[in-house]
Amino acid sequence: MASRARSGPLDVMVTGLPSDAHTWNLVFIQLLIEDLGHHVVNLGPCVPSDEIVESCGKSQPDLLVVSSVNGHGFQDAEELIRTIRSRWELTGLPAVIGGKLDVLGAEGRAGNGRRLVEAGFDAVFGEDQGLSAFEEFVAALAAHRGPAAPAALAPAAPWEGAAR
């Protein structure tokens, strides 16, 4: 994706995954991002991966936020981000994921978080984290817009709340 160097609010796309029918998390994250002063398109729950990829390709958002609550987000998310990163126009799209991504507990969460970052997510925000890491990520992205935006975000750890 050719990043648009501009100022002002971010254009953020929020989505659920194909296997997750929960909506409250998507509404909450939309309201949070809007409260931070950014524009949001909320694709909703149970969105097929190809629809997420096509929507990103068409609208070229400044950030993709994926949220999961059902504990099975890891499987869908890994495939989704690999597909996004395989598209030349989306390789630079900042993308994050958060929520309950697995049912394995803390040990599995760290390993799966690492795998999601290795697959292409810029940050993984675990269910046990507060919102401050996500808010800091959004603020840093807004402040460092341009071709090197994700690289400008300093990693705290490679799997939870950290940039790749």
Side-chain angles (χ1 to χ4, degrees):
M1 175 179 118
S3 295
R4 298 171 283 173
R6 61 178 179 82
S7 61
L10 296 172
D11 292 321
V12 181
M13 185 167 292
V14 172
T15 188
L17 292 161
S19 66
D20 198 327
H22 293 89
T23 58
W24 65 264
N25 55 315
L26 301 172
V27 172
F28 176 83
I29 202 73
Q30 175 180 344
L31 293 172
L32 173 66
I33 294 167
E34 288 173 343
D35 193 46
L36 295 173
H38 305 292
H39 304 286
V40 176
V41 171
N42 188 336
L43 297 180
C46 295
V47 184
S49 292
D50 59 340
E51 186 177 324
I52 297 168
V53 173
E54 291 305 313
S55 294
C56 288
K58 287 178 184 173
S59 67
Q60 295 290 303
D62 298 309
L63 173 63
L64 172 64
V65 178
V66 180
S67 180
S68 180
V69 176
N70 70 358
H72 301 287
F74 173 77
Q75 292 89 348
D76 290 338
E78 189 173 31
E79 178 186 333
L80 170 65
I81 196 63
R82 289 187 191 285
T83 302
I84 286 172
R85 296 300 180 223
S86 73
R87 299 268 302 258
W88 68 268
E89 73 276 21
L90 299 176
T91 57
L93 170 64
V96 300
I97 187 166
K100 184 175 173 83
L101 302 174
D102 59 52
V103 293
L104 302 174
E107 277 185 35
R109 209 167 10 256
N112 285 343
R114 271 190 223 98
R115 283 183 54 191
L116 289 172
V117 169
E118 289 167 1
F121 277 101
D122 294 291
V124 176
F125 299 98
E127 65 182 299
D128 299 333
Q129 292 179 295
L131 292 174
S132 61
F134 174 73
E135 290 171 334
E136 290 170 12
F137 183 94
V138 172
L141 181 62
H144 294 98
R145 261 195 247 217
L153 304 173
W159 50 93
E160 291 199 7
R164 66 178 159 119

